[in-house]
Amino acid sequence: MTEFIPPGTRFHALPSPFPCKRGGALHGARVAYETWGALDADAGNAILIVTGLSPDAHAAANEANPAPGWWEAMIGPGKPIDTDRWFVVCVNSLGSCKGSTGPASINPASGELYRLDFPELSIEDGARAAVDVVRALGVEQLACVIGNSMGGMTALAVLLLHPGIARSHINISGSAQALPFSIAIRSLQREAIRLDPRWNGGHYDNEAYPESGMRMARKLGVITYRSALEWDGRFGRVRLDSDQADDDPFGLEFQVESYLEGHARRFVRFFDPNCYLYLSRSMDWFDLAEYGDGDVLAGLASIRVDKALAIGANTDILFPVQQQQQVADGLRAGGADARFIGLESPQGHDAFLVDFERFGPAVRGFLDEL
Amino acid sequence: MTEFIPPGTRFHALPSPFPCKRGGALHGARVAYETWGALDADAGNAILIVTGLSPDAHAAANEANPAPGWWEAMIGPGKPIDTDRWFVVCVNSLGSCKGSTGPASINPASGELYRLDFPELSIEDGARAAVDVVRALGVEQLACVIGNSMGGMTALAVLLLHPGIARSHINISGSAQALPFSIAIRSLQREAIRLDPRWNGGHYDNEAYPESGMRMARKLGVITYRSALEWDGRFGRVRLDSDQADDDPFGLEFQVESYLEGHARRFVRFFDPNCYLYLSRSMDWFDLAEYGDGDVLAGLASIRVDKALAIGANTDILFPVQQQQQVADGLRAGGADARFIGLESPQGHDAFLVDFERFGPAVRGFLDEL
């Protein structure tokens, strides 16, 4: 479809071919990334950030792009991820449509978009691609790898597949494996897209576009990204003003419906549906138990890292805090000095994107100790 | 489209016209119901059961229909709702497609199906219709009105609109008002149906039927009816056998996906989409605060009933137990001897349909004290 690449994005060419975990390989693929701060002479102050499903690499303003990024409050001089001290790299996930090669990119074998000819994508592929960026920047060992949400999975795969790549790790609202409630939600999001006749087996364009499916997928996402508690306080049963409400007998009536509608509108045409399907499915597949003889804690314990912090929001229903507790427990069993913090954040899974009062000090405190 | 009426269903003709709360009136409407046990000479042993969105009136086997009902474990001789003692009436909700008049019924004014010409349906309309059935059966005062889920709303409306109609009340996984998380879920279910081109503004038939929309709505329902905890234990990350799995690259792979698929298949063609829209929306509108000057507790406190029990499952995300706690608190403020029990049931909102070990004794204990 279209790729959505922020200005100032930098690109790293992956080795070609770049083999994928589940088979197939990418040729001439690239990873989009951005950086903040300066790398020390001994290249010891680098932090890698791997993201959730939808963000681009523009996590914060920088010289190449002064627009605020999606984690602006967290990254910069004096901020929790202090760029006066750290050299920060954020990569756009492999398989995304925001600069890294994905299903919305040209397949050099055909000259056409990959669409569903893109190889089956795994979290592990994204992890290896991210590490390749970091090494190309002259970093042999990261001070820390930080992963949010899906990025929490990617970060664990980074550590697992590249022993010694990082001295520390912050896992934010992530998990070591997908569990059935989250699989069910994501499966339903993908089904909404696939059921839209305009998805057309992946062969849509800007005119015939699976807008209804993407709208459903996004709204369902937003429902599971936040929490009932937050919405009780934020929306209650407040109705829309009559000039905002819909004439449609089943149209928008409550503020919460309009909120979902706004989120859908800002997403639907700005993320490629096939990329969404690939990235979403990669999360369902991810399971560190594969590396621990069927035992997820053993898989985690096979990871070597000195220090780790796993944090999340107590109201998260998509990546519940028990999963961050498990990450900390497993890494500790592998010898790490690992802590878990469950924050009393009302904003659910998305809390790390909005509740900087709670997530900021937790991240800053951990990094200050390094 | 089609109505789905169990054999042996009985019908009560509502007064004609039957005015609706939000305007309009039904002409020649009826309510489907079934009964169990025998009414005492003084008509003092009657229990009314009002249901969730989808059940019919066949809550349990009886002489007219020996097939097991949807609450078979709860209703019968010696069962928690003991038909050796109680005369039990279960009504199919007004607006349903299972015998009571609804959008899938013939509009006598046109000779065609009502479809979206059905008046805007409120929970209060269903409550008044249910009371009309009870009175026609010779019952002036119920021993108890029991409502599950949406029926918990209906039961509160029964008590509010008909002071003195019941001496006691059991509210199971119900609430006194819809809150934004539940509104968002139901709004999305309705949107899935409305976005299906075959819904066609309500003008579908069995050939051109909004199957995709109904499938999405049902799967989303099932996700919110159960709990993540239950699914972790029940499905974990177990894959389908290769002969059950799909060839479709994004098709069914995990057991939890197949479970949702099975639920959708058993529902999609067996519930009318327009009826679904009407009943779903009536829940969003329901708010006892309307009867308490904007204060839901005051609305509850305006209800007169001697004894009440509000119960639910701690894992319910659709009607969270705080809402049953609120029902008990509000009724107590109105003078009732009201108790709340939050059960440690893993099955979420649906627990009352499956966890008879916990719900059975709670209901039996309350009724035994009457």
Side-chain angles (χ1 to χ4, degrees):
Chain A
M1 204 42 234
T2 318
E3 295 175 276
F4 306 92
I5 307 173
T9 298
R10 295 164 67 184
F11 298 97
H12 166 71
L14 290 173
S16 188
F18 182 84
C20 293
K21 180 193 173 201
R22 292 175 63 99
L26 295 170
H27 296 264
R30 68 182 191 182
V31 174
Y33 70 97
E34 296 196 22
T35 70
W36 299 260
L39 189 62
D40 276 355
D42 64 356
N45 70 328
I47 290 178
L48 169 66
I49 297 173
V50 279
T51 81
L53 187 155
S54 59
D56 52 38
H58 190 60
N62 51 19
E63 284 181 15
N65 181 0
W70 55 265
W71 226 18
E72 188 68 32
M74 293 291 283
I75 303 166
K79 292 185 181 174
I81 303 171
D82 186 350
T83 53
D84 286 338
R85 179 178 178 197
W86 304 111
F87 172 66
V88 179
V89 183
C90 180
V91 301
N92 175 236
S93 305
L94 189 68
S96 174
C97 53
K98 297 193 170 167
S100 295
T101 299
S105 308
I106 298 287
N107 177 357
S110 67
E112 308 280 335
L113 299 185
Y114 273 108
R115 302 185 187 272
L116 302 198
D117 291 333
F118 200 78
E120 290 186 345
L121 182 73
S122 301
I123 292 289
E124 288 90 333
D125 301 325
R128 286 176 42 247
V131 169
D132 207 63
V133 174
V134 163
R135 291 211 165 125
L137 291 169
V139 177
E140 278 308 303
Q141 187 177 53
L142 293 158
C144 190
V145 54
I146 301 177
N148 305 320
S149 183
M150 181 183 90
M153 295 175 161
T154 309
L156 291 171
V158 161
L159 294 165
L160 183 94
L161 300 176
H162 305 276
I165 188 69
R167 294 190 292 280
S168 76
H169 168 46
I170 304 178
N171 198 292
I172 301 179
S173 305
S175 81
Q177 62 178 185
L179 287 176
F181 181 82
S182 310
I183 291 174
I185 294 280
R186 286 191 289 262
S187 174
L188 196 56
Q189 292 175 303
R190 295 193 298 271
E191 186 170 0
I193 295 170
R194 294 160 54 228
L195 281 175
D196 187 327
R198 280 158 296 199
W199 178 61
N200 188 29
H203 286 269
Y204 47 84
D205 59 28
N206 282 328
E207 281 68 54
Y209 184 89
E211 182 145 351
S212 300
M214 286 292 279
R215 167 186 305 274
M216 289 296 302
R218 182 57 170 180
K219 288 188 176 181
L220 179 51
V222 172
I223 288 174
T224 59
Y225 296 159
R226 311 300 288 217
S227 86
L229 177 71
E230 184 207 8
W231 286 4
D232 286 353
R234 186 165 169 187
F235 303 115
R237 292 185 45 81
V238 177
R239 253 85 168 181
L240 295 171
D241 297 336
S242 56
D243 60 328
Q244 294 173 284
D246 223 307
D247 284 339
D248 184 330
F250 290 96
L252 307 182
E253 175 172 353
F254 292 95
Q255 276 194 354
V256 68
E257 294 178 288
S258 164
Y259 167 81
L260 289 179
E261 184 66 24
H263 269 280
R265 207 175 299 132
R266 290 192 296 278
F267 184 78
V268 161
R269 290 276 181 175
F270 301 97
F271 204 89
D272 179 76
N274 289 335
C275 293
Y276 192 93
L277 295 176
Y278 270 80
L279 288 165
S280 166
R281 188 179 54 175
S282 76
M283 276 188 270
D284 288 1
W285 280 336
F286 187 66
D287 185 7
L288 277 189
E290 283 177 24
Y291 305 93
D293 276 331
D295 176 353
V296 66
L297 282 171
L300 280 162
S302 73
I303 288 174
R304 294 289 161 262
V305 68
D306 297 341
K307 276 173 68 80
L309 170 67
I311 56 177
N314 288 342
T315 50
D316 189 339
I317 59 173
L318 200 61
F319 286 73
V321 283
Q322 293 84 339
Q323 295 203 287
Q324 291 103 57
Q325 171 87 62
Q326 182 181 62
V327 166
D329 290 347
L331 294 177
R332 194 180 308 114
D337 169 11
R339 263 173 296 167
F340 159 71
I341 306 177
L343 298 169
E344 295 287 341
S345 231
Q347 290 100 339
H349 184 63
D350 264 2
F352 72 88
L353 291 172
V354 285
D355 186 4
F356 302 116
E357 258 181 63
R358 291 188 179 84
F359 281 80
V363 169
R364 182 193 295 275
F366 180 85
L367 293 177
D368 280 354
E369 286 176 24
L370 295 184
Chain B
M1 212 38 236
T2 320
E3 295 175 275
F4 307 92
I5 306 174
T9 298
R10 295 164 69 185
F11 298 98
H12 165 71
L14 290 174
S16 187
F18 183 83
C20 293
K21 180 192 173 201
R22 293 175 63 99
L26 295 170
H27 295 264
R30 68 183 191 181
V31 174
Y33 70 97
E34 296 196 22
T35 70
W36 299 260
L39 189 62
D40 276 355
D42 65 353
N45 71 330
I47 290 178
L48 168 67
I49 297 174
V50 279
T51 80
L53 187 153
S54 60
D56 53 37
H58 190 58
N62 50 20
E63 284 181 17
N65 180 1
W70 56 265
W71 226 17
E72 189 67 33
M74 293 291 282
I75 303 166
K79 294 184 181 175
I81 302 171
D82 187 350
T83 53
D84 286 338
R85 178 177 178 200
W86 304 111
F87 172 66
V88 179
V89 183
C90 179
V91 300
N92 176 235
S93 306
L94 189 69
S96 174
C97 53
K98 297 193 171 167
S100 295
T101 299
S105 308
I106 298 287
N107 177 357
S110 66
E112 308 281 335
L113 299 184
Y114 274 109
R115 303 184 188 271
L116 301 199
D117 290 333
F118 200 77
E120 290 185 350
L121 182 73
S122 301
I123 292 289
E124 287 89 333
D125 301 325
R128 286 176 44 246
V131 169
D132 207 62
V133 174
V134 163
R135 292 210 165 125
L137 291 169
V139 176
E140 278 307 303
Q141 186 177 54
L142 293 158
C144 189
V145 53
I146 301 177
N148 303 321
S149 185
M150 180 183 89
M153 295 174 162
T154 310
L156 290 171
V158 161
L159 293 165
L160 182 92
L161 301 176
H162 305 276
I165 187 70
R167 294 189 292 278
S168 75
H169 167 47
I170 304 179
N171 198 293
I172 302 180
S173 305
S175 80
Q177 62 178 186
L179 286 176
F181 181 82
S182 311
I183 291 175
I185 294 280
R186 286 191 290 262
S187 174
L188 197 56
Q189 291 175 303
R190 295 193 298 271
E191 186 170 359
I193 296 170
R194 294 160 55 229
L195 280 175
D196 188 327
R198 279 158 297 197
W199 178 61
N200 189 28
H203 286 267
Y204 46 85
D205 58 28
N206 282 328
E207 281 68 55
Y209 183 90
E211 181 145 350
S212 300
M214 285 293 279
R215 164 185 308 273
M216 291 295 302
R218 182 57 170 179
K219 287 189 176 182
L220 179 51
V222 173
I223 287 174
T224 58
Y225 297 158
R226 311 299 289 216
S227 86
L229 177 71
E230 183 206 11
W231 285 4
D232 288 352
R234 185 166 171 187
F235 303 115
R237 292 186 44 81
V238 177
R239 253 83 169 183
L240 294 172
D241 297 338
S242 56
D243 60 328
Q244 295 172 281
D246 223 309
D247 284 340
D248 184 330
F250 290 96
L252 307 182
E253 175 172 353
F254 292 95
Q255 276 193 354
V256 67
E257 295 177 288
S258 164
Y259 166 82
L260 289 180
E261 185 66 24
H263 268 280
R265 208 176 299 131
R266 290 191 297 278
F267 184 79
V268 161
R269 290 275 180 175
F270 302 97
F271 204 89
D272 179 76
N274 289 336
C275 292
Y276 192 92
L277 295 176
Y278 271 80
L279 288 165
S280 166
R281 188 179 53 174
S282 76
M283 276 189 270
D284 288 1
W285 281 337
F286 187 66
D287 184 7
L288 278 189
E290 284 177 24
Y291 304 93
D293 276 332
D295 176 354
V296 67
L297 282 171
L300 280 162
S302 73
I303 288 174
R304 293 289 161 263
V305 68
D306 296 341
K307 277 174 67 83
L309 170 68
I311 57 178
N314 289 342
T315 51
D316 189 339
I317 58 173
L318 200 59
F319 286 74
V321 282
Q322 291 84 342
Q323 295 204 287
Q324 291 104 57
Q325 171 86 64
Q326 182 181 63
V327 166
D329 290 346
L331 294 178
R332 193 179 310 114
D337 169 12
R339 264 173 296 166
F340 159 71
I341 306 176
L343 298 169
E344 294 287 341
S345 231
Q347 290 100 338
H349 184 62
D350 264 2
F352 71 88
L353 292 171
V354 286
D355 186 4
F356 303 114
E357 259 182 62
R358 290 189 179 83
F359 281 80
V363 169
R364 183 193 295 275
F366 180 84
L367 293 178
D368 279 355
E369 287 176 24
L370 296 183

